[in-house]
């Protein structure tokens, strides 16, 4: 019999350092995760059990003006964060990430974890189960293209709660869509 997986899933949204022209990404900087928003969802009760943000102090980049406008995160805020390695350990120990399905809105978040883990020489904190909810949502709703988070919420007559492009708020909004999707299958 295979390894059993937890009946709770981790709905995760990350924010990363980013640049927009005319701000040009400095040649010696990489895009790094600076916030991990997490909502733990119990798939039996279809409830969000908790939500948290983990701020990460970037080591190989700085928060640009564009990044601050997009996320509201400043260099001073993320400088209070933990190192990347510590954040990955927290995912493993506090959130049991190796045994829980990781849900995100698209593949960007998974790819950023993979890239940053390689950049830092840190082991990927998740197990083999990743669910791209954006793709599933698109298929289930018969859409021609994958919608952004805000459009998906509007499609479901739900309101965006909190600040868009803040990891913790986006994770909670994604969790609402995830719960709605599971409820449809239980009818």
């Amino acid at each position: 019999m295979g390894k059993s997986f937890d009946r709770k899933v981790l709905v995760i949204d990350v924010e990363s350092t980013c640049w927009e022209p005319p701000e040009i990404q400095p040649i010696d900087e990489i895009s790094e995760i600076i916030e991990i928003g997490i909502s733990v969802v119990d798939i039996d009760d279809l409830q969000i059990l908790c939500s948290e943000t983990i701020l990460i102090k970037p080591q190989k980049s700085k928060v640009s003006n564009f990044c601050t406008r997009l996320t509201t995160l400043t260099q001073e805020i993320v400088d209070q964060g933990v190192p990347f390695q510590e954040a990955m350990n927290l995912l493993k120990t506090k959130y049991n990430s190796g045994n829980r399905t990781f849900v995100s809105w698209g593949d960007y978040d998974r790819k950023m974890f993979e890239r940053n883990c390689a950049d830092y020489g840190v082991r990927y904190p998740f197990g083999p189960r990743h669910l791209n909810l954006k793709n599933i949502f698109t298929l289930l709703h018969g859409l021609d293209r994958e919608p952004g988070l805000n459009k998906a919420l509007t499609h479901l007559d739900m309101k965006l709660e909190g600040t868009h492009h803040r990891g913790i708020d986006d994770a909670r909004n994604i969790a609402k869509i995830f719960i709605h999707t599971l409820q449809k299958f239980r009818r």
Side-chain angles (χ1 to χ4, degrees):
M1 186 170 221
K3 186 177 183 180
S4 76
F5 277 79
D6 201 307
R7 300 288 295 166
K8 296 171 186 69
V9 301
L10 302 178
V11 178
I12 293 181
D13 184 78
V14 302
E15 302 303 330
S16 305
T17 52
C18 53
W19 302 265
E20 180 184 58
E23 291 180 320
I24 298 174
Q25 179 177 345
I27 203 146
D28 59 341
E29 293 188 19
I30 63 168
S31 183
E32 296 176 272
I33 296 171
I34 54 176
E35 181 186 24
I36 303 170
I38 306 164
S39 286
V40 179
V41 176
D42 184 311
I43 61 171
D44 293 320
D45 296 336
L46 297 180
Q47 297 291 321
I48 298 174
L49 301 177
C50 66
S51 293
E52 181 182 1
T53 188
I54 301 171
L55 293 175
I56 300 174
K57 182 178 182 175
Q59 303 299 306
K60 300 179 180 188
S61 64
K62 296 285 183 199
V63 176
S64 70
N65 291 330
F66 170 74
C67 189
T68 296
R69 285 192 309 275
L70 184 67
T71 67
T72 72
L73 294 168
T74 63
Q75 187 67 46
E76 294 76 26
I77 292 171
V78 298
D79 280 346
Q80 304 302 311
V82 298
F84 184 77
Q85 171 75 40
E86 190 175 326
M88 297 307 99
N89 286 337
L90 191 58
L91 287 172
K92 289 185 248 179
T93 58
K94 184 175 181 180
Y95 291 101
N96 194 22
S97 61
N99 293 317
R100 290 181 173 167
T101 298
F102 160 27
V103 177
S104 63
W105 192 255
D107 273 338
Y108 173 82
D109 306 82
R110 180 185 57 79
K111 289 177 181 177
M112 280 304 296
F113 277 110
E114 289 173 350
R115 264 189 232 126
N116 282 183
C117 284
D119 291 335
Y120 283 106
V122 174
R123 190 176 175 148
Y124 184 70
F126 301 101
R129 294 184 183 183
H130 172 257
L131 188 85
N132 177 342
L133 186 58
K134 182 192 274 190
N135 184 263
I136 291 168
F137 182 91
T138 303
L139 293 170
L140 290 176
H141 291 272
L143 303 175
D144 293 336
R145 62 175 43 187
E146 293 183 339
L149 179 57
N150 208 7
K151 284 194 187 246
L153 289 165
T154 300
H155 185 82
L156 297 175
D157 292 323
M158 294 180 179
K159 288 192 181 262
L160 179 79
E161 294 178 19
T163 302
H164 193 26
H165 297 298
R166 273 307 302 265
I168 188 168
D169 294 333
D170 284 351
R172 279 193 288 254
N173 285 302
I174 296 164
K176 290 187 326 186
I177 294 172
F178 179 69
I179 289 168
H180 178 272
T181 302
L182 290 179
Q183 286 170 334
K184 283 184 77 167
F185 281 104
R186 292 192 179 174
R187 290 184 187 149

